[in-house]
Amino acid sequence: MPTPPSKKPGVKPHLKRITFKAKFSAACTIAIVIVISVAFAADAKDNDRDKNNDQQAYCRYVTEQAAAQRDLLLVPSAVAGVTQPNTGLPMQVVWGLSGSLSNVRKSVLTMDAARKNCDLYSAASSAQQDVQYALPSLEKRALQHRLELIQQASESLDTLTATTRKMLDAQNMTRPMAFVLQTTKIKLDSDRADTQSKIVSLYTPAQLSDKPVKELVAEKQSREVYEQKALDKLSRQNDWDVALSVGAHQQISPLVDSRGAYGEVTVSYNLASHAINKHLDQAADAYDDWKKVQEGDIVRNADVLKQQVVNGISVQDSRLKALQEEQQQIESNLQLVGSAETTAALDFRNQLTTAQLLLQIEIGDATFRLDRLREFLGKNF
């Protein structure tokens, strides 16, 4: 507690000037609080337009926490106490306001750090969501395309079945020879049900970001840099301080009318600030290095996703080549029996045709997956 200046007994002090200073200081502080609050609220409202519900909820939480800390730092403290000067003067009671320029600066930096933290969370969650659901989204699109292929094959099979029934009615074909069409129909229905089950078991968000993954990751990394710089500025603010105390004092032993004003300015500087700032710089570099290799971080997950897509392209390419070779063999056999009218030739042609229908589904599926994977790789990495 600051020691107020001594006053001669019997001399009535004049408090108008110090009272005006205290009121003016409090008014300025309140004005600063209002201006910062309005500015941050307007900026946060503009940013909320581009955020989803999760990001908006987190930003509101961070903002309220920072606002509480800002008010604690920015508004002066009311002080009161009893002091006994060590110069033999009478005991006195003192009261007034105490503030800190460093705290005022910290209040601004605290809100800035909260905004940077909010931006980082938004960028990180968007990138994480895109990386996490990239492959499920591609798989869902491929399965939906497979349903379309199955539907096309089913329609072609129905046409072939109708033709076969006419030949069966004309006794140009036996029922065992038509059984292969029924078997193929069962396979198609089973494939359709299995594909539909896979689709409903996959969860993907209603909408993913249109930005490439590499841009989302780069934005997340830049937001991390901004946040670390904001936190670094906030930590460095502890290096110095200018504290101001103003108020009044009153002698209480013996109790006489001896009220007077007092003011105190204290300047402090941390002698270890150079070493502290050096460690803060090293911590920022170490944080950046850690994020690049952290298992579960977006940068690492994006690298894993890229490798998965590359491997998927290799697998689908090999699959497509094998299927195309099978297709060539079936087409060659169909050309051999295309003009034959014997019962055995008709039976063999039905078998080849149904095999071709099933093969077309697999070729169309492999082609679609390969094209989508290549498109995804080119766009995002």
Side-chain angles (χ1 to χ4, degrees):
M1 182 68 65
T3 303
S6 59
K7 296 289 295 182
K8 294 182 179 180
V11 178
K12 188 173 183 179
H14 299 283
L15 301 181
K16 291 184 179 180
R17 181 176 299 178
I18 192 63
T19 302
F20 172 77
K21 288 182 178 179
K23 290 182 178 179
F24 181 76
S25 176
C28 289
T29 301
I30 294 173
I32 293 174
V33 173
I34 294 175
V35 170
I36 294 177
S37 301
V38 171
F40 189 85
D43 185 55
K45 185 176 181 180
D46 292 338
N47 291 337
D48 280 349
R49 296 173 183 173
D50 299 327
K51 295 180 174 62
N52 57 35
N53 293 335
D54 167 54
Q55 295 166 354
Q56 291 179 13
Y58 178 81
C59 288
R60 285 195 298 269
Y61 160 72
V62 172
T63 301
E64 292 301 328
Q65 288 282 346
Q69 185 66 20
R70 174 204 61 197
D71 294 345
L72 176 65
L73 293 169
L74 196 56
V75 177
S77 300
V79 296
V82 177
T83 180
Q84 172 64 62
N86 56 8
T87 57
L89 296 176
M91 183 178 296
Q92 301 179 11
V93 60
V94 295
W95 64 92
L97 298 175
S98 177
S100 167
L101 293 183
S102 179
N103 284 349
V104 173
R105 177 61 177 163
K106 284 181 183 179
S107 67
V108 178
L109 296 177
T110 298
M111 297 302 293
D112 183 60
R115 182 170 60 86
K116 296 295 193 303
N117 181 265
C118 169
D119 293 341
L120 172 59
Y121 181 82
S122 299
S125 59
S126 295
Q128 182 64 47
Q129 179 176 270
D130 274 38
V131 170
Q132 179 180 354
Y133 294 108
L135 292 182
S137 179
L138 290 173
E139 179 66 17
K140 196 168 188 178
R141 290 171 60 190
L143 291 173
Q144 290 169 343
H145 180 260
R146 186 179 181 88
L147 279 180
E148 297 175 2
L149 295 174
I150 294 173
Q151 181 61 31
Q152 294 172 6
S154 296
E155 293 173 357
S156 298
L157 184 62
D158 290 340
T159 302
L160 183 60
T161 301
T163 303
T164 302
R165 285 176 180 173
K166 292 179 181 179
M167 297 178 66
L168 200 60
D169 294 339
Q171 297 183 351
N172 292 329
M173 182 175 289
T174 62
R175 292 188 180 278
M177 293 169 57
F179 182 71
V180 65
L181 301 180
Q182 184 178 357
T183 303
T184 304
K185 181 66 174 178
I186 294 173
K187 291 180 179 179
L188 289 177
D189 292 340
S190 177
D191 193 0
R192 179 187 289 106
D194 182 60
T195 303
Q196 291 173 338
S197 297
K198 290 179 179 179
I199 290 176
V200 298
S201 66
L202 286 174
Y203 169 76
T204 55
Q207 184 177 4
L208 295 175
S209 174
D210 294 331
K211 295 182 179 179
V213 171
K214 59 184 177 182
E215 292 185 8
L216 292 173
V217 172
E219 182 178 359
K220 178 259 182 185
Q221 289 180 298
S222 65
R223 296 296 182 185
E224 281 184 340
V225 173
Y226 297 151
E227 187 203 34
Q228 288 299 308
K229 287 182 178 180
L231 294 176
D232 186 65
K233 287 182 180 179
L234 184 58
S235 298
R236 291 172 188 263
Q237 197 58 43
N238 295 320
D239 293 346
W240 64 272
D241 190 16
V242 177
L244 173 66
S245 298
V246 294
H249 63 93
Q250 164 68 49
Q251 178 178 316
I252 58 175
S253 179
L255 182 60
V256 295
D257 188 7
S258 60
R259 285 176 295 176
Y262 77 90
E264 181 181 52
V265 177
T266 303
V267 179
S268 61
Y269 179 77
N270 194 325
L271 297 179
S273 60
H274 178 72
I276 293 173
N277 294 338
K278 183 177 179 180
H279 287 302
L280 290 175
D281 293 337
Q282 293 174 349
D285 294 337
Y287 181 85
D288 185 55
D289 295 337
W290 167 53
K291 282 297 180 179
K292 292 179 180 178
V293 297
Q294 180 190 11
E295 291 293 340
D297 187 70
I298 299 168
V299 178
R300 173 64 176 164
N301 290 343
D303 291 338
V304 173
L305 174 62
K306 180 180 179 180
Q307 190 59 47
Q308 288 176 321
V309 173
V310 171
N311 293 339
I313 291 175
S314 177
V315 170
Q316 294 300 328
D317 188 47
S318 300
R319 176 194 177 197
L320 182 59
K321 290 179 179 178
L323 292 171
Q324 288 173 340
E325 291 177 0
E326 294 291 337
Q327 186 184 39
Q328 291 176 359
Q329 294 180 6
I330 291 177
E331 289 177 350
S332 298
N333 290 326
L334 280 172
Q335 291 176 359
L336 294 175
V337 298
S339 59
E341 297 297 337
T342 63
T343 303
L346 291 174
D347 183 26
F348 187 40
R349 186 169 60 186
N350 275 358
Q351 293 181 30
L352 290 174
T353 303
T354 54
Q356 187 181 46
L357 289 177
L358 297 176
L359 192 60
Q360 285 174 350
I361 295 175
E362 300 302 327
I363 291 177
D365 182 61
T367 302
F368 184 87
R369 290 174 181 270
L370 185 59
D371 292 343
R372 298 292 81 75
L373 287 172
R374 286 173 174 170
E375 179 186 356
F376 181 83
L377 183 64
K379 175 185 176 182
N380 291 277
F381 297 101

